[in-house]
Amino acid sequence: MSAKPKLYYFDGRGKMESIRWLLAAAGVEFEEEFLETRDQYEKLLQGGSLLFQQVPMVEMDGMRMVQTRAILSYIAAKYNLYGKDLKERALIDMYVGGTDDLMGFILMFPFLSAEDKEKQRALIVEKATSRYFPVYEKVLKDHGQDFLIGNNFSWADVHLLEAILMVEEKKSDVLLGFPQLQAFKARISSIPTIKKFLEPGSQRKPVPDDKYVETVRRVLRMYYNIKAN
Amino acid sequence: MVEMDGMRMVQTRAILSYIAAKYNLYGKDLKERALIDMYVGGTDDLMGFILMFPFLSAEDKEKQRALIVEKATSRYFPVYEKVLKDHGQDFLVGNNFSWADVHLLEAILMVEEKKSDVLLGFPQLQAFKARISSIPTIKKFLEPGSQRKPVPDDKYVETVRRVLRMYYNIKAN
């Protein structure tokens, strides 16, 4: 096992993208092995590397970690992006839970039929603007600080930026009416590690396309239709 | 939503993590916590198949029941069976009672409600179930009169639909 964390996933966003964001934000270099063939996946399975037969899987610190939330929590705690005490951690978990739910509506998007995509796009924007963004807007407005929690950069800030950018890809002016979030987006984007991750050539993955969908379906033999929310 | 320690906590995972940490059921260090999070993630995924069950049509319920049993016996139970077999300890992580043990017991009991003999072929889990069920606090929770809730019925489904105005059809996995 190398010293750098090694990420096992498809060459695309999916559930691994939040992990890439967090490692990048923490300034941690990582390697990636991209699943392209069914064979590769079966080798990983037979080797016993995938606890529940699923990816994401991250090899790091002598562990083969699975379960996205477990991996993210470990990274956040290890790199001091998880608040200073139990209560701050609870707040971070709450906020991340929200952005996770919001991004969950986008996760399945590439797998939907063209008709369902339009319905889902509307749903994503509706949830973002009526349920999630107002919460973070208010949090920032109420305390007037640069970061969501404890006046310190944390996992919650990284996750919210990721969510904002993903929703903007569905509706570019979605932050109209959210001045705090607009300022937050500019601020967090200018943090050196984040700025670097946002530049071309980084390990950030692009918006998923048909090739990504085909790869996932082929490797996982997941040919059934995904239904919209 | 849970009101506790001056907070109004939402997000199930956030609430559970807070409680686990506060009451020392989250392992002794970061790596044990990661292991607990992984195991809980598995039982959470498994119970996720059961969560929507009461809201399904009768036809979808039969399909879902089969799916639940299949996932339990081919993906999830074998993992915990192997963990227990490999280290031979009483608890899943760090030779100490943790959130992972509680969550696994809950999952086992829920799957058994869908197929009562589902633990056939999982001797470690059978012993685990007996062991954890006999822990005094758990034993008490399993007795009639505790705050443990029964298998969801139509009345529960109606209430959720009415309160949340959630009248659309839930589709099976």
Side-chain angles (χ1 to χ4, degrees):
Chain A
M1 214 174 279
S2 76
K4 290 184 194 170
K6 189 168 181 188
L7 278 49
Y8 292 77
Y9 201 67
F10 314 101
D11 186 3
R13 290 184 181 173
K15 291 194 172 187
M16 187 61 98
E17 192 70 354
S18 295
I19 293 168
R20 298 183 182 108
W21 268 92
L22 190 56
L23 285 170
V28 177
E29 285 180 16
F30 56 92
E31 291 171 1
E32 299 190 78
E33 180 160 316
F34 298 125
L35 292 183
E36 321 251 276
T37 67
R38 175 74 188 176
D39 247 18
Q40 266 174 297
Y41 173 60
E42 287 186 357
K43 276 207 179 69
L44 276 178
L45 282 177
Q46 278 145 32
S49 310
L50 306 180
L51 190 65
F52 300 112
Q53 303 155 25
Q54 298 164 320
V55 285
M57 190 270 277
V58 174
E59 275 179 353
M60 109 182 246
D61 298 345
M63 297 181 286
R64 288 195 167 96
M65 286 196 285
V66 297
Q67 289 289 323
T68 312
R69 192 67 77 90
I71 297 165
L72 287 163
S73 293
Y74 180 80
I75 295 166
K78 182 177 179 185
Y79 295 101
N80 293 309
L81 293 168
Y82 220 165
K84 69 178 198 296
D85 57 29
L86 263 195
K87 284 195 174 182
E88 285 196 352
R89 209 166 86 198
L91 264 176
I92 290 168
D93 281 341
M94 276 190 262
Y95 295 163
V96 162
T99 36
D100 198 45
D101 285 348
L102 176 55
M103 287 196 278
F105 292 107
I106 304 177
L107 194 69
M108 65 176 71
F109 189 87
F111 294 86
L112 300 175
S113 67
E115 187 197 335
D116 279 353
K117 271 179 175 155
E118 281 323 297
K119 285 192 233 170
Q120 192 76 354
R121 185 189 306 270
L123 181 74
I124 289 161
V125 171
E126 196 255 317
K127 293 283 184 189
T129 54
S130 67
R131 177 169 288 187
Y132 296 101
F133 286 175
V135 170
Y136 304 100
E137 181 78 6
K138 183 177 196 297
V139 166
L140 292 166
K141 186 164 199 225
D142 285 354
H143 62 43
Q145 293 164 4
D146 284 355
F147 307 107
L148 283 170
I149 285 143
N151 215 5
N152 263 319
F153 182 52
S154 79
W155 172 23
D157 301 302
V158 183
H159 214 246
L160 175 57
L161 177 61
E162 182 190 1
I164 286 170
L165 296 180
M166 283 183 79
V167 179
E168 280 185 324
E169 284 164 353
K170 297 286 171 269
K171 189 173 190 285
S172 59
D173 63 352
V174 74
L175 282 194
L176 272 178
F178 297 103
Q180 296 287 334
L181 292 182
Q182 291 174 35
F184 174 86
K185 175 189 163 189
R187 261 195 325 271
I188 305 303
S189 299
S190 66
I191 289 171
T193 48
I194 306 264
K195 188 162 185 276
K196 196 163 165 214
F197 189 62
L198 290 171
E199 281 162 5
S202 83
Q203 284 163 297
R204 185 181 181 214
K205 301 297 175 274
V207 180
D209 56 12
D210 289 338
K211 180 163 177 276
Y212 168 75
V213 171
E214 277 163 39
T215 302
V216 175
R217 287 194 182 285
R218 178 177 65 248
V219 171
L220 297 184
R221 291 196 181 143
M222 193 180 82
Y223 294 111
Y224 54 83
N225 287 327
I226 308 273
K227 302 145 198 156
N229 286 105
Chain B
M1 187 272 276
V2 175
E3 275 179 350
M4 126 180 230
D5 298 344
M7 296 180 288
R8 285 195 169 100
M9 285 195 284
V10 295
Q11 289 290 325
T12 311
R13 193 67 76 89
I15 299 165
L16 285 164
S17 293
Y18 180 79
I19 295 168
K22 183 177 178 185
Y23 295 102
N24 293 311
L25 292 168
Y26 220 165
K28 71 178 196 300
D29 57 28
L30 263 195
K31 284 194 173 184
E32 285 195 354
R33 210 166 85 199
L35 222 49
I36 289 168
D37 280 342
M38 277 189 262
Y39 295 162
V40 162
T43 37
D44 197 45
D45 286 347
L46 177 55
M47 287 196 278
F49 292 107
I50 305 177
L51 194 68
M52 65 175 72
F53 189 87
F55 295 86
L56 301 174
S57 68
E59 186 196 334
D60 278 354
K61 270 178 174 156
E62 281 323 297
K63 286 191 232 169
Q64 193 75 353
R65 186 189 304 271
L67 182 72
I68 290 161
V69 170
E70 197 254 315
K71 291 284 183 189
T73 54
S74 68
R75 176 168 289 187
Y76 295 103
F77 287 175
V79 170
Y80 303 101
E81 181 77 8
K82 183 178 195 297
V83 166
L84 292 166
K85 186 165 198 223
D86 284 354
H87 63 44
Q89 292 164 4
D90 283 357
F91 307 106
L92 284 171
V93 180
N95 213 8
N96 262 317
F97 182 51
S98 80
W99 172 24
D101 301 303
V102 183
H103 213 245
L104 175 57
L105 178 62
E106 181 191 359
I108 286 171
L109 295 181
M110 282 183 80
V111 179
E112 281 186 324
E113 284 162 355
K114 296 287 171 268
K115 189 173 190 286
S116 59
D117 64 353
V118 74
L119 282 193
L120 270 177
F122 297 103
Q124 296 287 334
L125 291 182
Q126 291 173 32
F128 174 87
K129 175 190 163 189
R131 257 194 330 271
I132 306 302
S133 300
S134 66
I135 289 170
T137 49
I138 306 264
K139 186 162 186 276
K140 196 161 164 214
F141 189 64
L142 290 171
E143 280 163 4
S146 84
Q147 284 164 301
R148 185 184 183 214
K149 302 298 174 275
V151 180
D153 55 12
D154 290 338
K155 179 162 175 276
Y156 168 77
V157 170
E158 279 163 35
T159 303
V160 174
R161 287 194 183 285
R162 178 179 64 246
V163 170
L164 297 182
R165 288 193 183 149
M166 192 179 83
Y167 294 112
Y168 54 84
N169 288 327
I170 308 273
K171 301 144 198 155
N173 287 106

